[in-house]
Amino acid sequence: MTAIHHTDPEPRAVAQLAALDLEDKARLVSGGGTFRTSAEPALGLRPIITSDGPVGVRGERWDEADTALALPSPTAMAASWDEDLVHRLGELLAREARRKGVDVLLAPTLNLHRSPVAGRHFECFSEDPLLTGRIGAAYISGVQSGGVAATAKHYVANESETQRLTVDARVDERTLREVYLAPFEAAVRAGVWVVMSAYNQVNGEPMCESSLLTEPLKGEWGFEGVVVSDWGAVQSTTRSGRAGVDLAMPGPNEHWGAALAAAVRDGVVPEPLLDDKVRRLLRLAERLGALERRSASARPPRQPTPVDAATRGLLRQAAAAGAVLLSNSGTLLPLDSRALRRVAVLGPNAAVARVQGGGSAAVFPGAVVSPLDGIRAALSADVQVGYASGVRTALRPTPLERAHCRHPVTGEPGLLARYLDTAGEELHVEHRLSGRILEPSVATDLSALATIEVSTVFRAPAPGRWRLGVIGLGHLLLMADGQVLLDAYVTPDSDDPTYLHVSPSFRQVEVDLTVNQEVALLVRRTVEAKHGRVLSLAVDPPQAPLDAELAAAVELARAADAVVVVVGTTDEHESEGFDRTSLELPGEQNALVTAVAAANPATVVIVNSGGPVLMPWRNEVAATLLGWFPGQEGGGALADILFGRTEPGGRLPTSWPVRQQDAPVLDTQPQNGVLAYREGVHVGYRGWLRSGTEPAYWFGHGLGYGRWEYLAVDAPGHVTPGAEWTVRVTLRNHGPRSSREVAQLYLARPESAVERPVRWLAGFAAVRAEPGEEVEVHIPVSPRALQHWSVEHQHWLAEPGTFTLLAGPSCGVLPLTATVELG
């Protein structure tokens, strides 16, 4: 393979590399803070600012006042099968990054949907390496077109969360090359500027010390950018210093800096390796405009979150483009809004939609349109839209919002937060908009921080037994009107960063309150090294009996002309930091759907989840729409689809099972620290095909509002190894509406000298047609589609002979076939 080279000029500071002493060079690659690198005034180098993604740009701190746009989840992006749209979303993210003074977006995640129970499923694109690579490349090119670096992560074989800091993924070389490395190779070919090495080990090597960072990444592929560690992953000096990781984050890292300089001085880490790390960092700085003769602290002023119609329209379009219509029996959808007089909207996720995944990917959106909001806005005032939750799914306490509390000093809506030293003196004070604190709202020196305290005056909007809670670690105190309700010490259950810094343990107590009763609340926690700073004051209302809630929902459904049930997960069930134990919908949501469908046949179910869930009722309801985590404009997009203003454009980027045990790859639990990828290249739909078991819905499935007929496929009779070729597919839309179709092309080689999947995705392309229109779509096929990795020859080889082509709307429905002969 030809190495991939870019033509960016070397930064002027590279010529000054020799002017830096050993300590300066080691300091530069050791990070300068939680989300920033070190400055070097002698070179005109300012700090490079990084921020988590991938659905928005949070910025350096977890600050509820610093809102951000919330895009659809990466799985929803991939479900669009639309590279142009994803490129536009990348451009939007670049504008967001520049607005927040961010240089490097720590996204996209290019790991695969290996197991449906993987906790971070929503943050990855798909189960297929080709689809992941193409959508990932579009995301990267969009972000970097705006002068902001994208980060391809987590390199490599980081497909689950259990023991994610230490797990050893055992993957054979051919599988690595053809499946798990392939999306990263596509990212390098797209010109990605940063690659993040993962926490996990691969075949016994921690990724920050892995030879895979050198070959194929920097050698064969010619990657010229920076390899940054995942946060806290560098845990050695010599081994990581000699490896291909270039920047240890966060910083300063105790294993690098002075320790790395000493290792170079002692000759155990060659200085040219350190020089290469610095050179790569300076090259990135040049690309980002961070090498300038100005103050190292100078940053562009921040701008407010954009709320213009064009921005919101793009987010709404993207949410609809990724929504997958799984079933539509009797063509219930789209609903005729003119014929509706009463609509029932049910389920806890209908009123409080989950628009993003949990963990480091989360942002604070300025405004969120829930499905209930979207439906009410789409219908005329004379249509009655009733709502009932029907069930409960929350497991963790709910942080208090400002709507029902006031600042104890100023009386304004909100809460008072105080940051105290060991003597109880204030280091910082701020007005908070909710009871949830992850970090202070402004950059403050909190090196002496010992205690965080939050106080407010809460007014109970309803009478009954309320639950008060505190989320955090260390010594916790909860008081109401000066009375101590909780005084306990909470030790960490895990050292996982998501647990420590986003969702640690909690404690709750119950109190009886009358309607409009005011109570002064105060929570406090101690702050200890490496335990994070999370503190939340949580308040949850009295709860009606579950059977009464379900009965109210069914009664509402029975009297409605149409029913929309929104089921889904929460960040307590799908999140970074842990894998799921079950694909069942939490709570009694399945019972809710079954009861409602029996009461009213005009029932539509919207699934609000990031990954697959089981749907035992799928044949009992008239229509099922998968909305994923749709971003902040998801409610409007779902209403557009329900009432026919737009078409659901999505196709499944991963297969969904009927039963959990049917999934060909399920287990994410390491055995003695080892997770064996025994399935080899048979991941996702490839595993389903090998097992002979039918999933509920195949990879690539999605209905839309058209009715497509596949008429003919035209492929070259012979193809040359190493050359791209094109397949033409003829289709007709014989439905009543204009429609978009994603034509998919698969390859098979039943008689092969090497083990292959039953079939594999070789290409895809979208086409639009008016009712009755016949169209032709051209699908390019890369030479790699016919190649396999030879461990013996350490090269990509193409086996001569006959390959079968299959074309159709999904992996499971392929009505057209042809053959090509590889010379």
Side-chain angles (χ1 to χ4, degrees):
M1 174 183 291
T2 302
I4 307 158
H5 295 288
H6 305 293
T7 59
D8 296 51
E10 291 292 279
R12 60 183 180 275
V14 170
Q16 303 174 14
L17 185 62
L20 295 173
D21 62 26
L22 181 57
E23 282 67 25
D24 285 337
K25 289 187 285 188
R27 175 179 56 82
L28 285 179
V29 298
S30 185
T34 304
F35 287 104
R36 60 173 53 201
T37 65
S38 295
E40 179 48 69
L43 301 181
L45 174 65
R46 63 164 174 81
I48 295 173
I49 310 301
T50 69
S51 171
D52 277 314
V55 300
V57 184
R58 189 181 63 243
E60 288 191 80
R61 293 181 303 279
W62 294 81
D63 185 356
E64 63 186 14
D66 188 9
T67 58
L69 296 176
L71 283 64
S73 67
T75 306
M77 294 183 196
S80 72
W81 294 59
D82 189 336
E83 292 153 282
D84 291 338
L85 175 62
V86 174
H87 181 94
R88 292 170 61 200
L89 293 175
E91 292 175 326
L92 178 59
L93 286 166
R95 293 195 294 272
E96 275 282 272
R98 294 196 306 272
R99 180 179 69 82
K100 289 199 165 195
V102 166
D103 301 298
V104 179
L105 185 64
L106 301 173
T109 300
L110 298 181
N111 305 113
L112 299 185
H113 295 169
R114 176 177 176 264
S115 167
V117 301
R120 216 167 177 174
H121 203 286
F122 57 87
E123 197 174 325
C124 309
F125 289 121
S126 83
E127 69 186 15
D128 181 78
L130 175 65
L131 179 60
T132 296
R134 285 178 57 172
I135 297 297
Y139 184 108
I140 289 164
S141 63
V143 170
Q144 293 187 174
S145 69
V148 174
T151 305
K153 67 181 190 183
H154 308 84
Y155 187 92
V156 61
N158 182 227
E159 274 74 34
S160 54
E161 295 294 283
T162 305
Q163 299 178 26
R164 65 172 178 151
L165 304 182
T166 57
V167 62
D168 183 8
R170 298 289 174 87
V171 195
D172 69 85
E173 183 180 335
R174 183 184 169 203
T175 299
L176 266 176
R177 284 285 191 156
E178 293 187 15
V179 179
Y180 298 103
L181 284 170
F184 290 94
E185 184 178 3
V188 173
R189 291 190 173 278
V192 71
W193 293 349
V194 181
V195 169
M196 181 186 289
S197 58
Y199 287 122
N200 57 282
Q201 301 178 54
V202 173
N203 298 329
E205 288 186 312
M207 279 311 306
C208 283
E209 304 169 8
S210 174
S211 57
L212 291 170
L213 298 176
T214 305
E215 291 294 346
L217 179 61
K218 290 183 173 180
E220 178 186 324
W221 297 349
F223 175 62
E224 295 181 341
V226 168
V227 175
V228 62
S229 73
D230 206 337
W231 265 229
V234 169
Q235 294 290 319
S236 67
T237 301
T238 302
R239 292 189 303 274
S240 61
R242 295 176 66 93
V245 64
D246 302 309
L247 175 61
M249 291 296 288
N253 184 290
E254 62 182 323
H255 301 287
W256 277 27
L260 183 56
V264 172
R265 192 176 294 108
D266 293 343
V268 294
V269 174
E271 189 163 4
L273 292 182
L274 176 58
D275 288 347
D276 183 64
K277 300 177 194 300
V278 177
R279 186 177 296 111
R280 288 171 178 270
L281 183 63
L282 296 174
R283 182 184 296 126
L284 175 64
E286 174 79 1
R287 288 168 167 168
L288 297 171
L291 273 171
E292 301 173 5
R293 296 295 183 183
R294 60 191 178 101
S295 169
S297 63
R299 303 296 302 156
R302 294 198 175 195
Q303 302 295 323
T305 305
V307 292
D308 58 281
T311 299
R312 294 188 62 187
L314 175 58
L315 297 182
R316 189 163 174 161
Q317 175 191 351
V324 182
L325 185 58
L326 295 174
S327 63
N328 192 19
S329 59
T331 60
L332 174 66
L333 294 182
L335 298 168
D336 183 358
S337 60
R338 297 167 299 180
L340 299 175
R341 292 295 174 264
R342 291 187 298 269
V343 175
V345 182
L346 310 174
N349 286 44
V352 183
R354 187 177 182 197
V355 301
Q356 59 183 325
S360 64
V363 297
F364 295 98
V368 171
V369 181
S370 70
L372 182 59
D373 295 333
I375 290 169
R376 282 178 170 161
L379 294 173
S380 62
D382 59 349
V383 179
Q384 298 178 18
V385 179
Y387 168 72
S389 173
V391 297
R392 295 194 295 267
T393 58
L395 300 175
R396 291 176 61 85
T398 307
L400 180 62
E401 297 295 333
R402 59 179 171 175
H404 301 297
C405 65
R406 57 181 172 85
H407 192 285
V409 177
T410 67
E412 299 175 273
L415 306 92
L416 168 66
R418 301 170 68 227
Y419 302 82
L420 312 174
D421 64 15
T422 53
E425 297 295 324
E426 292 181 351
L427 299 172
H428 178 59
V429 178
E430 61 187 12
H431 183 172
R432 303 291 299 196
L433 303 179
S434 81
R436 184 189 192 205
I437 293 179
L438 300 175
E439 290 286 346
S441 293
V442 297
T444 305
D445 180 11
L446 295 179
S447 56
L449 179 64
T451 303
I452 304 175
E453 178 185 281
V454 174
S455 59
T456 191
V457 178
F458 169 69
R459 180 188 293 269
R465 181 162 287 264
W466 288 76
R467 285 171 296 143
L468 308 180
V470 54
I471 303 171
L473 302 173
H475 183 198
L476 304 183
L477 181 72
L478 169 61
M479 301 176 68
D481 288 335
Q483 179 184 356
V484 175
L485 301 181
L486 174 69
D487 189 346
Y489 188 88
V490 179
T491 57
D493 292 337
S494 168
D495 61 353
D496 188 278
T498 298
Y499 168 80
L500 294 172
H501 302 292
V502 181
S503 54
S505 301
F506 63 89
R507 298 291 186 270
Q508 286 179 294
V509 297
E510 294 186 345
V511 296
D512 289 313
L513 300 174
T514 60
V515 64
N516 293 326
Q517 179 179 347
E518 288 194 339
V519 56
L521 300 178
L522 180 146
V523 295
R524 185 183 296 147
R525 68 157 288 185
T526 57
V527 176
E528 301 174 25
K530 298 182 180 180
H531 286 183
R533 296 172 177 169
V534 176
L535 175 63
S536 290
L537 168 59
V539 178
D540 285 280
Q543 297 177 338
L546 285 173
D547 56 351
E549 292 189 8
L550 179 60
V554 172
E555 187 60 30
L556 198 63
R558 185 174 288 113
D561 300 316
V563 182
V564 178
V565 186
V566 185
V567 299
T569 62
T570 74
D571 55 9
E572 301 156 12
H573 307 95
E574 278 187 279
S575 174
E576 177 184 356
F578 59 87
D579 292 315
R580 290 191 281 173
T581 57
S582 172
L583 297 180
E584 294 283 353
L585 285 165
E588 297 297 321
Q589 293 183 91
N590 287 333
L592 171 66
V593 173
T594 296
V596 166
N600 192 327
T603 294
V604 181
V605 177
I606 296 174
V607 181
N608 178 208
S609 72
V613 296
L614 302 181
M615 297 178 287
W617 36 260
R618 68 188 186 282
N619 295 322
E620 302 170 14
V621 299
T624 305
L625 179 67
L626 173 55
W628 308 105
F629 299 149
Q632 67 183 62
E633 301 296 328
L638 292 171
D640 289 341
I641 292 170
L642 291 174
F643 304 119
R645 296 174 182 173
T646 193
E647 181 181 39
R651 303 294 184 268
L652 282 178
T654 193
S655 305
W656 281 42
V658 176
R659 303 179 306 166
Q660 182 164 320
Q661 60 266 36
D662 291 341
V665 179
L666 186 65
D667 191 20
T668 60
Q669 298 291 324
Q671 301 299 316
N672 298 318
V674 172
L675 184 62
Y677 285 38
R678 295 188 180 91
E679 69 281 359
V681 298
H682 305 282
V683 66
Y685 63 88
R686 302 173 178 191
W688 285 99
L689 289 166
R690 184 173 68 160
S691 73
T693 303
E694 289 266 337
Y697 301 104
W698 281 104
F699 173 83
H701 171 73
L703 298 179
Y705 286 155
R707 291 200 299 271
W708 289 88
E709 182 181 6
Y710 280 71
L711 301 175
V713 60
D714 182 20
H718 295 79
V719 295
T720 303
E724 183 177 284
W725 42 289
T726 300
V727 175
R728 296 193 301 275
V729 178
T730 305
L731 311 88
R732 179 187 296 116
N733 174 19
H734 58 89
R737 296 170 55 106
S738 173
S739 180
R740 174 182 178 268
E741 174 70 339
V742 179
Q744 302 163 39
L745 182 69
Y746 295 80
L747 283 169
R749 182 72 184 267
E751 302 296 330
S752 177
V754 297
E755 181 185 4
R756 297 182 187 271
V758 174
R759 55 181 172 268
W760 61 97
L761 183 67
F764 61 90
V767 65
R768 177 168 291 279
E770 298 302 315
E773 183 181 4
E774 182 178 306
V775 291
E776 185 177 85
V777 60
H778 294 218
I779 304 177
V781 181
S782 163
R784 182 64 61 82
L786 296 174
Q787 296 174 341
H788 65 276
W789 178 257
S790 169
V791 177
E792 178 185 1
H793 296 91
Q794 290 292 292
H795 198 69
W796 291 96
L797 297 181
E799 180 186 16
T802 303
F803 286 77
T804 302
L805 284 169
L806 304 100
S810 77
C811 175
V813 180
L814 297 164
L816 302 179
T817 61
T819 60
V820 294
E821 191 77 17
L822 179 66

